[in-house]
Amino acid sequence: MPTDALLDRFLTELAVLAPAAPVAVWAHGSLAGGDYQEGRSDLDLIAVVDGPLTPRTIWQVAKVHARLRSEPLAPLLHCTYLTPDTADDAERPHLTWAHQQLFKRTVTPVTRRELHAFGRVLHGKAPAGLLPPVPDRELCEFVVRDQRDFWRPAVDNASLWTKDVWVGLGMITYARASVTLRDGRLISKREALDLLPGLGAPVELVEDIRSRRYDSPAPSTPTEEWATRRAGLTRSYLGPAIDELVTAYS
């Protein structure tokens, strides 16, 4: 299986980082939650390395990912690098490899809760031994803020919504946010798609997202006419839905 081969190669490469060998490597997202679709889902990983991320260590991390470039699925492998001394800071941006480049981003309360709830240990210690638990209030405040400050302004940017990735992720994230705020649970993308019609989402829109995630072979690129119509359906639904959600839980 290409996914297993890539993960094995990645762990082998990480093991020779010196002096910052990995203390733990975890999977979250679809890879850990049972909804992974090979070739379509990202491989979302967290590595906790032993020691500070010095310029030399950062260079070594970049070399690790460079050596993986020719591996199948390598563009989908994303990894954020923590250290034992920085792992508990939810506001701190951490070194991350994603989209074929290095940058910094936080490990969000949603990701941290995923790791505690169903994180997959690929190497070393479990998340509970290195990450503090995420209180319900912190999780809910983040979810509301994400819907209000990121997704709601994005809805007004019409050019984004002709793209498959924005339509799928926007709709699924909204459904997941609704369940987290209502029940305190994290749900899979498949569960989110099952719930969206009951939340008033257009059925043809939900089925398009479902088909692009799960059908084999994957559907062809949407026609310009459908992409434009789909964008309108998505924005007309998400704008009011997010406004209502944010008002209810602010």
Side-chain angles (χ1 to χ4, degrees):
M1 183 176 179
T3 299
D4 292 335
L6 177 59
L7 291 175
D8 287 345
R9 172 82 188 278
F10 179 62
L11 292 174
T12 299
E13 294 282 356
L14 279 188
V16 299
L17 285 180
V23 174
V25 182
W26 310 313
H28 61 100
S30 299
L31 188 60
D35 192 30
Y36 177 71
Q37 304 297 304
E38 189 168 76
R40 303 185 195 184
S41 298
D42 291 331
L43 287 81
D44 294 314
L45 308 178
I46 301 286
V48 183
V49 297
D50 186 17
L53 289 170
T54 63
R56 173 177 169 77
T57 305
I58 294 170
W59 179 82
Q60 288 178 314
V61 167
K63 293 289 286 184
V64 164
H65 289 282
R67 288 193 291 269
L68 295 174
R69 284 185 188 276
S70 62
E71 295 287 329
L73 307 180
L76 298 173
L77 190 153
H78 302 165
C79 187
T80 295
Y81 293 85
L82 316 181
T83 69
D85 291 339
T86 64
D88 63 350
D89 187 350
E91 301 296 323
R92 181 178 184 137
H94 301 277
L95 182 71
T96 298
W97 175 269
H99 312 297
Q100 300 293 288
Q101 60 183 318
L102 282 173
F103 56 96
K104 288 189 175 184
R105 68 182 179 192
T106 62
V107 179
T108 71
V110 169
T111 295
R112 290 166 179 270
R113 177 65 71 89
E114 283 184 357
L115 287 166
H116 279 282
F118 52 81
R120 176 179 165 187
V121 178
L122 302 177
H123 169 78
K125 298 180 180 179
L130 293 166
L131 288 179
V134 180
D136 290 344
R137 180 173 179 176
E138 180 183 351
L139 178 66
C140 290
E141 287 177 347
F142 171 80
V143 168
V144 170
R145 190 165 61 249
D146 185 53
Q147 288 289 300
R148 182 191 66 215
D149 297 345
F150 179 80
W151 286 105
R152 187 59 183 89
V155 171
D156 293 331
N157 187 346
S159 64
L160 298 175
W161 299 93
T162 57
K163 301 171 185 175
D164 294 345
V165 64
W166 279 90
V167 173
L169 194 56
M171 294 291 290
I172 287 169
T173 302
Y174 164 74
R176 294 170 112 177
S178 299
V179 173
T180 298
L181 292 172
R182 185 188 67 206
D183 302 334
R185 296 188 297 119
L186 301 179
I187 62 172
S188 69
K189 291 180 179 178
R190 189 184 293 273
E191 290 175 286
L193 288 170
D194 290 342
L195 288 171
L196 274 166
L199 294 172
V203 173
E204 62 181 321
L205 176 59
V206 176
E207 290 309 310
D208 179 81
I209 300 168
R210 190 191 306 277
S211 176
R212 294 184 185 284
R213 179 167 176 80
Y214 297 109
D215 282 3
S216 183
S220 58
T221 302
T223 64
E224 184 177 352
E225 180 182 6
W226 171 236
T228 300
R229 172 170 160 72
R230 186 181 64 178
L233 288 171
T234 306
R235 296 176 66 222
S236 294
Y237 172 74
L238 274 183
I242 291 174
D243 288 341
E244 183 176 348
L245 186 74
V246 169
T247 298
Y249 289 97
S250 293

